[in-house]
Amino acid sequence: MSGLEIERKFLVRSDDYKRMAHSSSHIRQGYICSGHGRTVRVRQRDAQGFLTIKGPSLDGGLSRYEFEKEISADEARHLFELCEPGVVEKTRYLVDFGGHTFEVDEFHADNDGLVVAEVELQAPDEPFDRPPFLGQEVTGDRRYYNGHLRLNPYKLWR
């Protein structure tokens, strides 16, 4: 997959997403390099591996270029050895609501207690129905970026 990624991000205010989810997976991700809004990330989602490159956002975090390629689990395991310090672990729940799929990430380890939902859109002004578990919008707030959470984990915010 590659192209412009347009998404909005929200805090989650209840665990209703768990009963509404049609699937869930465990995700572990690390960053080979990051800086100036650009990232090269390796991710292991259950038994699959992915290499992702993201460019900087020019519109306050609403959209950015993304290139993603599936790689083998073995390749992902080796690429984790090249990662910068800090790994993000989470369970991702997929919730279909109002014609959109919401990805709800329940973070673990140093980010335990943080739950964030994202919805991908076709256009920045595309309307969408809000599921009942959505809370405050945090689109563009860098504290909630996964790359930031690995260096400044949620447990240190309190």
Side-chain angles (χ1 to χ4, degrees):
M1 172 184 121
S2 65
L4 188 65
E5 173 189 60
I6 302 169
E7 66 183 17
R8 291 178 60 186
K9 188 176 290 205
F10 301 85
L11 296 178
V12 172
R13 62 179 177 193
S14 75
D15 64 358
D16 290 345
Y17 64 91
K18 290 183 180 182
R19 67 172 173 71
M20 297 171 71
H22 61 81
S23 69
S24 67
S25 56
H26 181 264
I27 293 175
R28 179 176 180 254
Q29 65 189 41
Y31 292 81
I32 295 172
C33 64
S34 60
H36 307 290
R38 296 169 180 84
T39 61
V40 178
R41 174 187 78 201
V42 61
R43 173 182 279 175
Q44 189 170 6
R45 186 177 67 214
D46 294 333
Q48 295 175 290
F50 297 90
L51 182 64
T52 305
I53 301 169
K54 291 189 176 195
S57 175
L58 303 175
D59 57 5
L62 182 60
S63 64
R64 62 196 286 195
Y65 178 80
E66 177 182 276
F67 170 84
E68 185 170 76
K69 175 127 177 93
E70 186 169 353
I71 59 177
S72 73
D74 190 53
E75 290 169 322
R77 194 169 26 262
H78 288 292
L79 287 174
F80 268 104
E81 296 174 15
L82 302 177
C83 287
E84 298 171 341
V87 172
V88 173
E89 292 194 54
K90 57 191 177 180
T91 301
R92 171 164 290 169
Y93 296 85
L94 299 181
V95 177
D96 292 333
F97 188 87
H100 289 89
T101 299
F102 289 79
E103 297 177 338
V104 181
D105 290 340
E106 181 180 283
F107 290 86
H108 306 298
D110 288 345
N111 292 297
D112 195 46
L114 179 62
V115 183
V116 176
E118 296 178 350
V119 60
E120 283 201 26
L121 305 171
Q122 297 300 312
D125 59 352
E126 179 182 349
F128 62 93
D129 294 329
R130 292 174 59 113
F133 55 80
L134 282 192
Q136 174 187 347
E137 183 165 5
V138 293
T139 301
D141 187 335
R142 295 184 183 281
R143 293 178 301 163
Y144 297 98
Y145 292 3
N146 287 284
H148 187 272
L149 289 169
R150 74 183 172 84
L151 297 174
N152 299 289
Y154 187 65
K155 75 175 186 179
L156 299 178
W157 298 11
R158 302 178 202 165

